[in-house]
């Protein structure tokens, strides 16, 4: 089992599948699943490859993951080449080792081992792997879930293999995520000579009260599962730094709100619009919505995942909804029980990304145990 996980992880890491490219990773996975009787559907949408595969009937567990990776960054700073998987002192180095080619390998090996031993289990095992999770997340899981919903497919349980552990494998599982909403607001002034401000209107000066309102914005105080909703400014741009004698005619401000189920996104939008109006700012605002919050506060999958972690990782996990959103959000539309469990996330997206090889082995045992407890 351990060697199979290492070999498969290495085969995947060797492929420089920088988001949204898959470059053949999913072919490797489809071939293995086909070999154990899975029905394979390759759903290509624009540049994104998606693999939807399933075996069995009845209550469905979907393993969710992505075959794309973020770019390597400065290759000279890597101790080992990012796309040449290398094992050092029990760790496997390479881009995607932890996020998330390692956990995909653990999933596949767990499924293979389970299906070979218990070929007529009671339920349906499926996988949904995409190649655009790290980029726009537009032509991947989101669209495939839409296709599945149109077909009236049911997914009862959804297990995302994103690296959720903090220090020890299984010390943290995500049982929900905050929603994410972004906006770019363009605030207009009147362009003019900087020495004659009486004939102009400075949009930078005008926007300061609005920015102050954003910084003081209190949306809610969170709840048992979620931290308070929070706004962060990610972009400000105005004027031309080479032209020192001109008042510009607009400023652009970008901000993002991570919010919990205590507040609706419509309420957030109306608060922001109110600030713009209160400060008398001529503006144009564009909203970008990437997902509502979701939570799995109880259920069969949660109990089984918790028990499996305790059994194999000898640790009691904490439940968390912190961090960025994930493809799990799309399954909330299918009313699935959604949980995320994967390797330690300390090095993800960094130079020298790595994963403890033993963790992939334990993770695979946990995934297999989840299958046993759901379907036997
Ligand atoms: Zn990931």
């Amino acid at each position: 089992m351990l060697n199979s996980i290492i070999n498969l992880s290495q085969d995947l890491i060797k492929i420089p599948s920088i988001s949204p490219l898959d470059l053949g990773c999913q072919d490797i996975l489809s071939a293995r699943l086909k070999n154990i009787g899975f029905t394979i559907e390759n759903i290509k949408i624009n540049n994104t490859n998606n693999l939807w595969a399933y075996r069995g009937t009845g209550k469905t567990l979907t393993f969710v993951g992505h075959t794309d990776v973020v770019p390597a960054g400065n290759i000279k700073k890597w101790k080992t080449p990012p796309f040449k998987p290398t094992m050092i002192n029990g760790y496997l180095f390479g881009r995607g080792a932890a996020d998330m080619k390692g956990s995909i390998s653990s999933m596949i090996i767990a499924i293979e081992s389970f299906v070979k031993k218990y070929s007529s289990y009671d339920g349906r095992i499926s996988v949904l792997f995409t190649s655009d999770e790290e980029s726009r997340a537009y032509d991947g899981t989101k669209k495939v879930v839409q296709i599945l919903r149109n077909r009236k497919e049911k997914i009862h349980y959804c297990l995302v293999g994103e690296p959720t552990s903090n220090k020890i494998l299984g010390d943290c599982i995500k049982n929900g995520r905050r929603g994410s909403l972004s906006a770019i607001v363009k605030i207009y002034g009147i362009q003019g000579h900087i020495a004659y401000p009486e004939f102009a209107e400075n949009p930078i000066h005008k926007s300061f009260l609005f920015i102050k309102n954003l910084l003081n914005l209190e949306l809610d105080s969170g709840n048992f599962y979620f931290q308070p909703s929070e706004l962060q400014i990610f972009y400000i741009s105005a004027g031309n730094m080479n032209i020192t004698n001109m008042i510009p005619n607009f400023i652009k401000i970008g901000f993002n709100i991570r919010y919990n189920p205590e507040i609706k996104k419509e309420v957030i939008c109306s608060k922001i619009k109110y600030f713009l109006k209160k400060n008398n700012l001529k503006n144009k605002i564009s909203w970008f919505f990437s997902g509502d919050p979701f939570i799995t506060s109880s259920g069969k999958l949660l109990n089984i995942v918790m028990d499996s972690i305790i059994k194999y990782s000898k640790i009691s996990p904490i439940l968390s909804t912190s961090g960025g959103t994930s493809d799990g959000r799309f399954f909330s539309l299918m009313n699935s029980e959604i949980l995320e469990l994967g390797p330690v996330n300390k090095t993800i997206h960094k130079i020298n990304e790595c994963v403890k090889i033993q963790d992939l082995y334990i993770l695979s045992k946990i995934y297999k145990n989840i299958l046993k407890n759901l379907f036997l």
Side-chain angles (χ1 to χ4, degrees):
M1 200 170 176
L2 179 60
N3 280 337
S4 316
I5 298 170
I6 296 172
N7 291 339
L8 181 55
S9 305
Q10 288 180 325
D11 288 346
L12 295 175
I13 294 169
K14 272 179 211 160
I15 301 173
S17 53
I18 291 164
S19 193
L21 300 179
D22 171 71
L23 303 181
C25 292
Q26 290 174 21
D27 290 341
I28 297 174
L29 306 171
S30 329
R32 294 188 76 132
L33 291 169
K34 200 171 172 201
N35 209 20
I36 49 167
F38 273 66
T39 304
I40 307 293
E41 276 188 55
N42 298 112
I43 304 171
K44 179 144 192 179
I45 302 168
N46 297 317
N47 282 330
T48 299
N49 287 74
N50 300 291
L51 169 62
W52 165 247
Y54 52 92
R55 184 186 188 279
T57 51
K59 286 223 168 181
T60 301
L61 166 73
T62 302
F63 286 97
V64 176
H66 59 87
T67 50
D68 56 324
V69 294
V70 295
N74 187 348
I75 292 178
K76 285 184 200 149
K77 288 195 172 168
W78 281 73
K79 279 189 262 173
T80 63
F83 298 106
K84 186 168 177 267
T86 312
M87 289 193 280
I88 304 169
N89 295 333
Y91 283 81
L92 177 61
F93 284 80
R95 174 57 84 223
D99 184 9
M100 59 175 284
K101 290 175 170 177
S103 36
I104 284 189
S105 304
S106 296
M107 286 172 172
I108 296 289
I109 303 303
I111 295 170
E112 280 180 352
S113 160
F114 176 80
V115 168
K116 279 176 190 164
K117 195 158 178 201
Y118 313 100
S119 63
S120 54
Y121 50 89
D122 182 20
R124 183 168 71 147
I125 307 170
S126 60
V127 306
L128 201 175
F129 298 145
T130 185
S131 71
D132 87 337
E133 200 274 346
E134 299 288 9
S135 42
R136 290 193 311 153
Y138 187 72
D139 289 325
T141 310
K142 185 182 177 181
K143 293 252 172 90
V144 178
V145 166
Q146 188 57 53
I147 293 170
L148 298 176
R149 287 176 71 207
N150 291 344
R151 288 186 199 163
K152 309 254 181 292
E153 294 255 15
K154 290 221 169 0
I155 292 175
H156 306 81
Y157 312 107
C158 169
L159 188 58
V160 185
E162 289 287 357
T164 54
S165 304
N166 296 320
K167 286 185 177 143
I168 300 168
L169 178 76
D171 62 1
C172 177
I173 55 182
K174 304 274 183 195
N175 65 329
R177 296 277 189 163
R178 292 178 291 175
S180 174
L181 176 69
S182 300
I184 301 271
V185 59
K186 194 170 176 182
I187 293 169
Y188 297 94
I190 297 170
Q191 188 179 319
H193 195 296
I194 210 153
Y196 302 92
E198 61 274 28
F199 302 126
E201 211 175 272
N202 193 324
I204 302 174
H205 294 192
K206 282 175 62 181
S207 67
F208 268 73
L209 287 173
F210 172 67
I211 292 173
K212 204 173 158 201
N213 289 146
L214 293 184
L215 300 185
N216 290 334
L217 177 66
E218 276 182 27
L219 293 166
D220 56 69
S221 40
N223 63 26
F224 180 75
Y225 290 107
F226 289 91
Q227 63 199 88
S229 303
E230 188 186 32
L231 180 145
Q232 288 288 320
I233 296 171
F234 63 81
Y235 177 81
I236 291 186
S237 156
N240 179 333
M241 65 179 191
N242 298 314
I243 302 174
T244 57
N245 62 359
M246 194 171 82
I247 290 171
N249 62 346
F250 67 84
I251 179 171
K252 269 188 184 178
I253 304 165
F255 50 91
N256 172 274
I257 303 112
R258 296 297 159 120
Y259 62 101
N260 60 49
E262 297 292 312
I263 191 162
K264 293 239 173 310
K265 61 177 178 298
E266 292 75 16
V267 175
I268 301 172
C269 293
S270 63
K271 281 181 189 269
I272 305 287
K273 283 181 197 154
Y274 168 74
F275 292 147
L276 288 163
K277 199 171 170 202
K278 190 178 88 171
N279 293 303
N280 213 0
L281 298 172
K282 195 176 161 220
N283 70 88
K284 197 175 146 203
I285 189 160
S286 312
W287 296 96
F288 307 92
F289 169 61
S290 56
D292 267 325
F294 62 91
I295 183 82
T296 300
S297 49
S298 61
K300 193 173 178 186
L301 184 65
L302 182 60
N303 293 338
I304 292 176
V305 170
M306 300 278 279
D307 289 347
S308 304
I309 293 172
I310 293 166
K311 185 169 178 189
Y312 290 100
S313 202
K314 316 277 181 237
I315 190 169
S316 198
I318 56 156
L319 298 176
S320 161
T321 59
S322 67
T325 188
S326 86
D327 272 3
R329 67 189 185 268
F330 302 121
F331 291 88
S332 63
L333 301 170
M334 297 185 87
N335 295 317
S336 316
E337 267 189 54
I338 308 158
L339 290 175
E340 303 180 33
L341 166 66
V344 173
N345 53 28
K346 204 174 145 204
T347 60
I348 59 170
H349 295 208
K350 292 188 176 175
I351 304 282
N352 299 320
E353 178 178 347
C354 64
V355 68
K356 199 171 170 185
I357 295 165
Q358 184 67 13
D359 282 357
L360 295 182
Y361 178 63
I362 298 169
L363 186 61
S364 196
K365 290 215 166 225
I366 293 172
Y367 289 152
K368 188 178 167 188
N369 197 58
I370 294 167
L371 286 171
K372 277 191 193 170
N373 282 282
L374 274 179
F375 294 146
L376 293 183

